[in-house]
Amino acid sequence: MLFDPARHEPLQTFAWDEARVRQFITRIVRETEARVSPDGLWPTHSNDADPEENPRAPLTPLYHGACGVVWALGYLEALGAVELQRDPLAHAASLRASNRAWLEADDNSFFGSLMMGETPWLLLEYGRAPGEALARRLAGLIEGNIDNPTRELMWGSPGTLLAASFLHERTGDERWADLFRRSAAQLASELKWSDEHGCHYWTQDLYGREVAYLDGVHGFVGTVLPLIRGRHLLDASSWSEWESRIVNTLQRTVTLEDGAANWRALLTMPAGREKSLLMQLCHGAPGFIVCTAHLPSRELDPLLLAGGEAIWTAGPLAKGSNLCHGTGGNGYAFLVLYQRTGEVKWLERARAFAMHGIAQSEADEAAHGQLRYSLWTGDLGFAIYLWDCLRGEAAFPTLDVFYGAAA
């Protein structure tokens, strides 16, 4: 089977209600602004807390902490979705210092990490007040991450490759194009070939293990997303080679059933788990669709459409409305397919997931007594998904866009 029914729930058939969607976005933002502490932090949701650490400790990273909240608030205002009552960047410098201290306390030296490290904090500060000193610090983080052995989006060089792409788009400065090309060349040198599967892949030195993920956060397809996004910075022959590798790996690793498709998490699944497939952004078809949204080749379109059918059949995720492993992230796959095909059924499906996700968020808030103040795992990311459903566009937060409409 292409998904585990226990991880999903039946779609609640609410009619699309633009007024309710706009009101819910505003409520998320107003509640988020109201709950910020005097030092610029938000209460940690129990589903984001690390039980091995202080579960009450506020989080600071882009992925599930204050940086993501700050980014989301500023982004929604830049798009014209809301008007803020507070400056989200007021505490950026102290929060960045707290984020670094958190990494150091865990003996982590990956300070350039896009989702967990300093890079997004500096990107935010650079967006507000660009300057040469900040640019040098960002360049140092990107360069220092080129050889990072994780080779995945959250911690490794693909994340800082994406940052270089955002910076070049914003400034046109050749230093970012050079760092992009150097990072891409290093990733090319680290590609492996599987005779068993007939495709290229990367391994990741991740959390004390060497693995070979395929997915949209830690694996192959997440790693190629910034290469697709910044392909104009590569020469034509380099990009042509990348594109053929991407197409081949996705064709060789897909699982097809009755016109539907999904992808496994690992290149080689452990014995007994060969048919264990997840259906969420971080592991499964939604991430493969989102990460290849801007691939020029149309060879994969039949598989991406089959993946969309599998997501729709599976239904909303039981874990809530969030982006990484929830209904909002899966809904972004529908927005991508609407963007690629123009077929209105995909927009309708995205909006159906949006309405279901509102009900999930409301139920979660009632159960926990608070919203989930985070970007990738909580209500701020879902608010952006709702806005993209309103405008019928697929711009996945911090993967497709960083600086927003004000750039």
Side-chain angles (χ1 to χ4, degrees), residues 47-348:
N47 289 336
D48 286 324
D50 188 337
E52 296 180 2
E53 298 179 2
N54 178 2
R56 295 183 180 274
L59 299 165
T60 51
L62 179 72
Y63 175 72
H64 60 350
C67 185
V69 177
V70 168
W71 182 89
L73 291 173
Y75 179 69
L76 284 165
E77 184 173 55
L79 292 179
V82 293
E83 290 185 10
L84 299 181
Q85 298 172 348
R86 301 170 181 267
D87 178 7
L89 276 172
H91 300 279
S94 61
L95 292 175
R96 174 169 47 78
S98 296
N99 196 86
R100 189 179 183 96
W102 171 72
L103 290 170
E104 289 174 338
D106 198 37
D107 295 324
N108 201 312
S109 59
F110 297 150
F111 301 124
S113 165
L114 179 66
M115 294 194 195
M116 307 298 274
E118 276 190 84
T119 295
W121 283 112
L122 292 179
L123 285 171
L124 282 167
E125 292 179 41
Y126 190 80
R128 171 69 64 86
E132 182 56 28
L134 264 180
R136 285 198 298 268
R137 291 174 67 187
L138 277 164
L141 286 173
I142 294 169
E143 184 168 27
N145 215 33
I146 289 175
D147 296 326
N148 189 326
T150 55
R151 289 180 284 272
E152 49 83 70
L153 198 59
M154 180 173 278
W155 295 97
S157 64
T160 40
L161 183 72
L162 189 56
S165 172
F166 289 136
L167 286 161
H168 184 267
E169 182 179 276
R170 187 169 182 84
T171 68
D173 190 332
E174 182 60 25
R175 87 176 90 185
W176 310 121
D178 177 65
L179 284 165
F180 185 94
R181 287 188 283 266
R182 288 171 58 195
S183 299
Q186 179 67 22
L187 284 169
S189 74
E190 294 168 342
L191 269 173
K192 299 178 182 292
W193 174 261
S194 168
D195 287 328
E196 177 185 359
H197 300 288
C199 65
H200 287 91
Y201 69 102
W202 283 283
T203 58
Q204 297 84 31
D205 293 342
L206 191 62
Y207 306 131
R209 297 186 302 141
E210 183 172 320
V211 289
Y213 278 116
L214 295 172
D215 61 55
V217 173
H218 293 309
F220 180 89
V221 75
T223 296
V224 301
L225 177 145
L227 292 165
I228 296 170
R229 190 182 192 283
R231 62 190 181 276
H232 58 286
L233 301 176
L234 303 172
D235 63 73
S237 62
S238 294
W239 168 245
S240 178
E241 190 169 8
W242 276 119
E243 189 168 43
S244 68
R245 290 165 175 165
I246 294 165
V247 169
N248 180 63
T249 294
L250 268 65
Q251 288 174 334
R252 303 285 293 186
T253 56
V254 70
T255 300
L256 292 165
E257 279 185 16
D258 300 324
N262 198 6
W263 283 264
R264 57 190 181 271
L266 294 158
L267 182 67
T268 302
M269 295 294 284
R273 292 183 53 203
E274 293 86 353
K275 295 184 179 180
S276 178
L277 299 177
L278 298 175
M279 186 68 77
Q280 55 199 45
L281 185 98
C282 51
H283 297 296
F288 282 74
I289 295 169
V290 166
C291 289
T292 57
H294 302 290
L295 188 70
S297 170
R298 293 289 174 165
E299 286 184 69
L300 290 176
D301 279 19
L303 296 183
L304 301 182
L305 291 166
E309 295 296 345
I311 297 165
W312 181 247
T313 299
L317 279 153
K319 281 189 173 183
S321 64
N322 69 85
L323 299 183
C324 189
H325 36 265
T327 299
N330 283 18
Y332 260 112
F334 299 145
L335 288 178
V336 167
L337 294 175
Y338 175 62
Q339 176 180 280
R340 284 186 77 88
T341 68
E343 293 182 27
V344 72
K345 77 170 183 179
W346 297 113
L347 178 59
E348 291 171 347

